[in-house]
Amino acid sequence: MPLLASIPSPSQGVWNLGPIPIRAYALCIVLGVIVAVWIGERRWRARGGAPGTITDLAVWAVPFGLVGGRLYHVITDWQIYFGSEAPKRPIDALFIWEGGLGIWGAIALGALGVWIACRRRGISFTAVADTLAPGVAVAQAIGRWGNYFNQELFGGPTDLPWGLEIDPGRPGTVPGATTYHPTFLYESLWDLALAGVLILAARRFGLRHGRVFALYVAGYTLGRFWIEGLRVDPAHHILGLRLNQWTSIVIFLCALAYLWLARNRTGEEPLGAAGDTGGDLSDPAHGRDQADEPELLRADERDEKAQDREARGGADDPSPGGDAGSGRQTATAGAGAASDGPAVEPEAGQR
């Protein structure tokens, strides 16, 4: 069948700015991190958290994630760097900018870094995980384009109109074939769709206590399983399946188990900011994670006024023509004088 069209691969993935090499793979990773933090900040503020929190947590998550991703890659593909027939030198295992990050290690150690930071700040780790989940999916969608520039991790030969052109001689290429399944594009689109599903599910079902993140894990591993089956790059196989497919199965089942165990979990998730109890808002149809900032400010002012009234002895606003309540009556009686003047409403607390 003649090809109707195809996706050309970039002629290069590195540009030299004087003595400094600018690598497309690294740029995609950095851009993904920036977008994930931006999305996370907006979702965290909408939930009632303090601005800048997600940015601070990223200082822990990013280096932990990079180390974890590289460790997973080197451990599972050690033969690339070690051994008498290794195509690369052992020192090349440190050259992260040349490609090679395992998402499983990146998420695991990145989550560890976030957990440590949350413990130090007194913030709920599950609340942060739920907030970050859609942004992480978008970051993965962007990061996959680094594989496109490196002409790596593609699928088997195909004559579909969207077949990806790969230079002959690349690992996994087949003699005589010129176009292959663009698995980077499949996964990128899957991750973007998953991010949308996570946002909608969180709003529709009010998912909390890590359930949004668990849904992200389940959704990602489900897509990764079938996409991984299309890839033809060298990989370890167990019972006919690639190692990453087995990893997807195990993690998918763990995510489902967590969703089941946490299905009835309730309680406070401290956000380290005023209004972190996630109390009722003026619109009962949604929680703080979907609230607009003005609405959150009004809710916080009402809470602070209520607390101020309790501290003053439970005094309420005076009724028309009546006295100001038991708290004020007690105060005036103790002073030996009656007052029919209007009660003074407590000032709103400072934010």
Side-chain angles (χ1 to χ4, degrees), residues 256-267:
L256 289 186
Y258 182 88
L259 286 170
W260 173 257
L261 295 174
R263 67 191 185 281
N264 296 322
R265 183 172 297 179
T266 57

Side-chain angles (χ1 to χ4, degrees), residues 280-301:
D280 292 336
L281 301 173
S282 59
D283 181 1
H286 60 266
R288 283 184 175 269
D289 53 346
Q290 290 91 39
D292 294 327
E293 194 165 335
E295 185 178 350
L296 291 172
L297 292 175
R298 292 196 300 270
D300 288 341
E301 289 175 358

Side-chain angles (χ1 to χ4, degrees), residues 6-13 147-152 154 163-167 170 178 180 184:
S6 61
I7 302 174
S9 286
S11 58
Q12 63 185 93
N147 302 133
Y148 168 64
F149 282 94
N150 283 353
Q151 295 193 46
E152 60 185 2
F154 46 85
L164 176 65
E165 299 175 9
I166 298 294
D167 295 339
R170 291 275 182 175
T178 58
Y180 300 80
F184 86 91

Side-chain angles (χ1 to χ4, degrees), residues 13-163:
V14 182
W15 300 270
N16 293 308
L17 186 61
I20 303 175
I22 307 298
R23 301 179 183 275
Y25 183 89
L27 290 177
C28 290
I29 298 296
V30 171
L31 178 60
V33 170
I34 293 173
V35 172
V37 171
W38 178 76
I39 294 175
E41 278 287 352
R42 289 179 59 86
R43 286 174 53 79
W44 186 253
R45 290 198 303 268
R47 185 163 179 165
T53 299
I54 301 301
T55 302
D56 293 341
L57 296 180
V59 175
W60 287 80
V62 172
F64 271 73
L66 290 175
V67 171
R70 191 61 173 180
L71 280 176
Y72 183 89
H73 166 72
V74 173
I75 291 172
T76 56
D77 291 311
W78 60 269
Q79 69 279 1
I80 298 177
Y81 305 98
F82 306 100
S84 57
E85 299 182 358
K88 295 187 178 182
R89 302 167 301 169
I91 190 64
D92 292 337
L94 302 177
F95 297 167
I96 192 172
W97 51 86
E98 293 183 355
L101 288 175
I103 186 61
W104 316 114
I107 294 296
L109 254 66
L112 175 61
V114 172
W115 179 80
I116 294 173
C118 287
R119 293 274 295 180
R120 291 167 59 90
R121 297 173 65 102
I123 297 174
S124 168
F125 171 71
T126 55
V128 170
D130 287 341
T131 301
L132 289 176
V136 171
V138 174
Q140 289 178 254
I142 297 173
R144 274 302 175 197
W145 285 82
N147 302 133
Y148 168 64
F149 282 94
N150 283 353
Q151 295 193 46
E152 60 185 2
L153 309 187
F154 46 85
T158 181
D159 57 1
L160 292 171
W162 54 84

